Amino acid sequence: FSEMRARGAAVTDIAVIVVAADDGVKPQTEEALAHASAAGTPLIVAVTKCDRENANPEKVRKQLLELGVELEEEGGDVQSVDVAAPTGQGQ
């Protein structure tokens, strides 16, 4: 999968990184971020499952910042949106 992500990051115009608000950043998310960064691919972050009781979008934002992803709301240049399919939030 790593090789596939690297090829994809090299040929795409933009990468949408999807992180579940109830799980947080996972190793595969870190890998995708590393490939996108290495390829210079612009990012958009979608924080999903924001309707769940144990959702913690702020934790996700903190984790992303620790990985060097600076979201617009923190003064960076990466757009992000909180979404929840059942409620239509962010759509």
Side-chain angles (χ1 to χ4, degrees):
F1 283 104
S2 181
E3 189 175 312
M4 179 180 62
R5 287 184 185 109
R7 281 194 312 266
V11 298
T12 191
D13 293 327
I14 194 162
V16 178
I17 304 296
V18 180
V19 184
D22 60 347
D23 283 338
V25 173
K26 298 285 192 176
Q28 59 267 35
T29 308
E30 293 182 35
E31 181 183 344
L33 288 168
H35 289 307
S37 177
T41 305
L43 302 175
I44 293 177
V45 175
V47 182
T48 63
K49 301 183 182 180
C50 289
D51 60 316
R52 300 252 174 116
E53 281 187 36
N54 59 338
N56 191 345
E58 289 304 317
K59 175 185 170 190
V60 170
R61 285 188 258 287
K62 182 179 177 195
Q63 290 174 320
L64 291 168
L65 185 58
E66 290 170 357
L67 294 170
V69 179
E70 297 179 3
L71 302 177
E72 284 182 340
E73 59 207 41
E74 303 293 330
D77 60 354
V78 177
Q79 293 182 359
S80 70
V81 63
D82 291 349
V83 296
T87 64
Q89 176 185 352
Q91 296 178 9

